[in-house]
């Protein structure tokens, strides 16, 4: 990857910052392309002099994407939305990127989709992801398509969202408590993207699913998060008829829920195809080894409370003047 130019579309987002860091560490030059490149300037210190570039680009505006991929050796498309114009961004936008990459003579394309991508899905999100994959295959047959499960990390909007809800509510209702997930660490996803970009002769033309080492139900995930932040709320697993009504209303206490998200919850979000991390030789990181480090902010006294608990657990005298809590 040394000195190869990678256009990272959506590089300033949650996943993008980790991919950018991994690419820069590999010696690649990285062109961060997103609607407002100023939001990605924080990445500049991660690279050497001249190793990072920033351009404005929008997948709904083909001319900006054509400019962003010009001269690139590799293109990575990370763009996705959880609400809004699914079809325009995740289907038409994916096609725009793939067509521009093919026209520019790019050597490799990595397209990040999601487990559950299916053109026949009842979910608009899942359908748009499936349509996007088909468009990428048609325009750039040797592209590598990666389908991660739920991605967790310090800046995520999944584990942190539930932790925030649990920290505030004495009672936590759970929808689709039996639905299964295979959460994958964002650092592992970044490593998989770099591996695919570096070896198109091995991974080109393949669709790989990316999941973590543990399969967990929604109900058990909520319980794990509660334990990790030292909270003991009453956890109520709601029956499906109640979940459907809440989704129709559009609001679960502590968090909004859309009908499309409810449809997505009807299917497990686990690896059933080719295990990408295993195929790439990447060791999956358990959530329990990294998440408690940032979830500590949701504890009653934050890091200070955690230190006090640790001293009690280890038998350290927390009243000693030689210890500061």
């Amino acid at each position: 990857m040394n000195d190869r130019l990678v256009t990272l579309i959506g590089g300033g987002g949650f996943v993008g910052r980790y991919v950018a860091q991994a690419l820069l560490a590999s010696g690649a030059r990285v062109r961060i392309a997103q609607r407002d490149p100023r939001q990605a300037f924080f990445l500049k210190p991660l690279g050497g002099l001249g190793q990072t570039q920033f351009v404005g680009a929008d997948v709904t505006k083909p001319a900006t994407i054509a400019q962003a991929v010009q001269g690139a050796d590799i293109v990575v498309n990370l763009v996705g939305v959880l609400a809004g114009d699914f079809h325009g961004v995740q289907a038409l936008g994916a096609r725009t990127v793939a067509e521009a990459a093919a026209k520019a003579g790019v050597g490799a394309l990595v397209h990040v989709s999601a487990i559950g991508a299916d053109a026949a899905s009842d979910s608009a999100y899942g359908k748009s992801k499936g349509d996007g994959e088909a468009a990428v295959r048609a325009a750039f047959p040797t592209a590598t398509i990666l389908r991660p499960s739920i991605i967790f990390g310090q800046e995520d909007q999944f584990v942190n969202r539930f932790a925030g809800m649990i920290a505030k509510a004495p009672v936590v209702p759970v929808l689709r408590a039996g639905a299964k997930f295979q959460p994958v660490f964002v650092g592992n996803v970044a490593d998989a993207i770099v591996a695919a970009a570096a070896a198109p002769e091995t991974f080109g033309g393949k669709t790989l699913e990316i999941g973590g080492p543990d399969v967990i139900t929604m109900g058990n995930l909520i319980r794990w998060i509660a334990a990790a932040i030292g909270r003991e709320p009453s956890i109520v697993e709601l029956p499906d008829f109640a979940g459907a009504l809440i989704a129709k209303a559009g609001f679960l206490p502590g968090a909004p829920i859309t009908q499309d998200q409810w449809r997505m919850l009807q299917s497990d979000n686990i690896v059933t195809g080719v295990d990408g991390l295993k195929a790439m030789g990447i060791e999956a990181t358990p959530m329990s080894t990294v998440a408690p480090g940032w979830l500590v902010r949701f504890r009653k006294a934050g890091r200070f409370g955690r230190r006090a608990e640790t001293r009690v657990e280890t038998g350290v005298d927390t009243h000693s003047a030689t210890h500061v809590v």
Side-chain angles (χ1 to χ4, degrees), residues 158 162 166 174-181 183 215-228 235 237 287:
F158 185 74
F162 285 120
I166 293 166
V174 182
L175 303 182
R176 294 288 294 168
K180 296 177 182 178
F181 299 87
V215 174
I216 188 170
T217 65
M218 176 66 84
N220 286 338
L221 176 63
I222 297 298
R223 292 183 180 89
W224 183 88
I225 295 172
I235 296 173
E237 298 185 358
M287 189 161 57

Side-chain angles (χ1 to χ4, degrees), residues 5 7 29-33 37 41 50-55 68 70:
L5 177 59
T7 293
R29 292 178 293 132
V30 181
R31 179 185 290 161
I32 307 294
F41 283 174
Q51 198 178 2
T52 53
Q53 305 172 17
F54 300 89
V55 297
Q70 193 64 42

Side-chain angles (χ1 to χ4, degrees), residues 150-153 156-168 172 174 181 183 216-233 235 287-288 291-300 306:
I150 299 299
I151 303 174
F152 69 88
D156 74 45
Q157 294 298 315
F158 185 74
V159 173
N160 286 312
R161 177 180 173 185
F162 285 120
M165 183 173 69
I166 293 166
K168 296 176 182 177
V172 178
V174 182
F181 299 87
I216 188 170
T217 65
M218 176 66 84
N220 286 338
L221 176 63
I222 297 298
R223 292 183 180 89
W224 183 88
I225 295 172
I229 64 174
R231 307 283 182 159
E232 297 181 350
I235 296 173
M287 189 161 57
S288 60
W294 73 75
L295 289 176
V296 68
R297 71 180 184 272
F298 294 104
R299 301 181 74 87
K300 289 182 180 179
R306 182 57 179 165

Side-chain angles (χ1 to χ4, degrees), residues 11 13 19 21 67 95 101 157 180 192 234 257 277 313 322-323:
V19 179
Q21 187 169 1
Q67 183 178 14
R95 183 177 69 186
Q157 294 298 315
K180 296 177 182 178
S234 296
I257 174 77
L277 295 187
E313 291 168 0
T322 61
H323 294 90

Side-chain angles (χ1 to χ4, degrees), residues 88-108:
V89 173
Q90 296 179 162
L92 298 182
R95 183 177 69 186
T96 294
V97 172
E99 289 179 345
K103 187 174 181 179
V106 170

